Amino acid sequence: MSFYFAIVGTKDNPLFEHEFGSSKQGGDGLAKFPEHARHMNQFIVHSSLDIVEEVQWGSGQMYLKCIDRFYNNYVSCFMTGGNIKFLLLHAPSAPAGGTSSTRASTSIAANPTSPQTEEAIRQFFVDVYEQWVKTIMSPFYTVNQEVRSPIFRARVAAAAKKYL
């Protein structure tokens, strides 16, 4: 499964972006978005912001689960208390060879809306949220400023490898 993670600020500006692939079930951790569609990731994520604004007031939860679908791409959302949005675009990998076993059909990569996938994404968001709070507590950070820290990027990548 391929993932595109974005943190969007209160003014709908991108604060952080990271693209990665699944490290579970023998994955190599590299995103496998088609080259001709890779530029669409940011557009798909930002187009789901309207749905986020509708859903956020109907639920008292920070994790809004899978909120949007664009063809074979799913968008999950996590809201912080400061109205910063964590958006994860995930595209399930195509089955190899056309044969599927029982194990493959229950894996995270095979079913993007299964409870196991939702829980893995929630844990990823919670881990990234902890790192986000540590980052914005820096006296050198201002609201809606892009995060360029290589340490933050490495910790997001570690969380992705751990849960996704």
Side-chain angles (χ1 to χ4, degrees):
M1 189 180 298
S2 296
F3 299 95
Y4 172 77
F5 175 66
I7 299 177
V8 179
T10 59
K11 298 177 182 176
D12 293 343
N13 56 320
L15 303 179
F16 179 80
E17 298 175 313
H18 186 61
E19 195 173 273
F20 55 92
S22 180
S23 296
K24 301 289 183 187
Q25 304 270 331
D28 58 3
L30 299 175
K32 294 187 176 33
F33 290 109
E35 278 301 318
H36 67 308
R38 188 173 296 248
H39 67 280
M40 293 291 292
N41 292 344
Q42 190 177 33
F43 172 74
I44 294 168
V45 165
H46 278 60
S47 69
S48 67
L49 289 174
D50 293 333
I51 297 170
V52 171
E53 291 175 0
E54 291 175 14
V55 174
Q56 75 180 4
W57 303 114
S59 162
Q61 304 294 322
M62 293 177 83
Y63 177 51
L64 303 178
K65 298 188 179 183
C66 188
I67 57 160
D68 195 12
R69 181 176 179 193
F70 182 78
Y71 291 106
N72 201 28
N73 298 308
Y74 297 84
V75 179
S76 296
C77 180
F78 183 92
M79 296 284 300
T80 68
N83 200 28
I84 303 292
K85 299 153 203 73
F86 294 179
L87 297 165
L88 182 70
L89 173 74
H90 41 108
S93 52
T99 60
S100 66
S101 66
T102 306
R103 170 176 260 171
S105 64
T106 59
S107 73
I108 289 176
N111 189 356
T113 58
S114 71
Q116 295 88 359
T117 305
E118 292 288 342
E119 181 61 22
I121 291 172
R122 186 191 68 77
Q123 290 175 337
F124 167 74
F125 278 144
V126 168
D127 200 352
V128 171
Y129 179 62
E130 290 175 12
Q131 299 307 319
W132 176 255
V133 169
K134 292 175 184 175
T135 301
I136 65 171
M137 287 177 60
S138 168
F140 302 108
Y141 181 79
T142 58
V143 177
N144 286 323
Q145 177 185 3
E146 184 177 347
V147 176
R148 296 187 181 127
S149 168
I151 295 170
F152 182 75
R153 181 171 297 279
R155 290 184 178 163
V156 168
K161 187 174 183 179
K162 182 177 180 182
Y163 297 113
L164 303 174

